[in-house]
Amino acid sequence: MTKDAGHGGPIRELDTWPVDRLEAFTAARNGEELEQVRVIAQNRAYWSDASRLARLRWAKLSLHANERLHGDDPWEQVRMANQAFMLRAWVIQHLGPDEDPDWNPEILATDTLAALTVDPERARTMSANWRDLPIEQIGELRRQKILTAHLDRLVDLLRPGATKDRLVVWAQVRELLP
């Protein structure tokens, strides 16, 4: 059971805490407790009865908790990036782009491309016979697929150009990945 912030007792009804209390809690913590905060904040960002600004604040808290939650393992880093990419794409799609870099589709596209570690043509070639690949390469292809899960939401929000073209190629290659 998790401990209450500063009191040593279990955390109860974390989902009833106001955003400012959860923000302070998140800033002072690391580890598993932040998964609760991430999920609660993400769910609040989805609430349609809240104002746009309140929803953006909840989404930002979810991103912050997500960043502090994960370790350096490649799979943890991919999970962190995927959760952030999916939430950012959702916010941009449903609440609209914003001056904040997290809510800018072009910056999300650039961040996505930076996270991908395999060239799309190489990924396409590797995928043709993926069952014959060493487990490490299959894992690498899986990570590329996870990192591109939000492209269906993102591509249509981008201006025409090289970045959009590269992500369209990735969206096509994604269908071939294991």
Side-chain angles (χ1 to χ4, degrees):
M1 194 166 259
T2 57
K3 305 284 182 191
D4 191 3
H7 300 294
I11 296 175
R12 301 190 195 285
E13 302 175 4
L14 196 63
D15 61 338
T16 64
W17 289 13
V19 68
D20 55 339
R21 184 173 178 194
L22 283 173
E23 287 168 338
F25 178 81
T26 300
R29 294 289 180 138
N30 284 313
E32 293 177 24
E33 298 150 333
L34 296 179
E35 178 65 9
Q36 282 180 275
V37 175
R38 185 194 68 75
V39 170
I40 290 166
Q42 183 171 321
N43 287 334
R44 296 274 173 84
Y46 293 158
W47 284 4
S48 61
D49 60 342
S51 72
R52 180 179 186 277
L53 288 177
R55 293 169 79 185
L56 291 175
R57 186 174 178 186
W58 282 109
K60 190 64 88 167
L61 174 58
S62 182
L63 291 176
H64 184 65
N66 185 50
E67 280 179 20
R68 296 179 55 78
L69 172 64
H70 298 285
D72 294 331
D73 174 78
W75 287 103
E76 285 191 49
Q77 288 295 300
V78 165
R79 182 172 187 256
M80 178 182 65
N82 172 258
Q83 288 172 338
F85 292 165
M86 293 295 287
L87 180 58
R88 290 170 64 191
W90 185 90
V91 166
I92 293 165
Q93 184 180 35
H94 294 277
L95 303 180
D98 196 299
E99 292 179 12
D100 185 309
D102 286 330
W103 319 136
N104 180 314
E106 300 296 329
I107 293 174
L108 176 54
T110 300
D111 292 348
T112 301
L113 290 170
L116 297 167
T117 58
V118 177
D119 178 84
E121 291 311 313
R122 177 160 163 65
R124 182 189 315 267
T125 302
M126 291 170 61
S127 292
N129 296 306
W130 70 267
R131 286 177 181 85
D132 298 329
L133 295 174
I135 192 71
E136 297 80 19
Q137 288 182 336
I138 296 171
E140 187 64 30
L141 291 175
R142 289 292 305 147
R143 288 190 290 274
Q144 304 313 290
K145 187 169 189 170
I146 292 166
L147 289 169
T148 54
H150 64 291
L151 292 185
D152 60 329
R153 291 184 174 173
L154 178 60
V155 169
D156 291 337
L157 302 171
L158 299 173
R159 295 183 307 252
T163 299
K164 181 175 183 170
D165 293 344
R166 288 176 63 199
L167 288 179
V168 166
V169 169
W170 265 112
Q172 294 165 349
V173 169
R174 183 176 197 280
E175 299 299 318
L176 306 172
L177 298 174

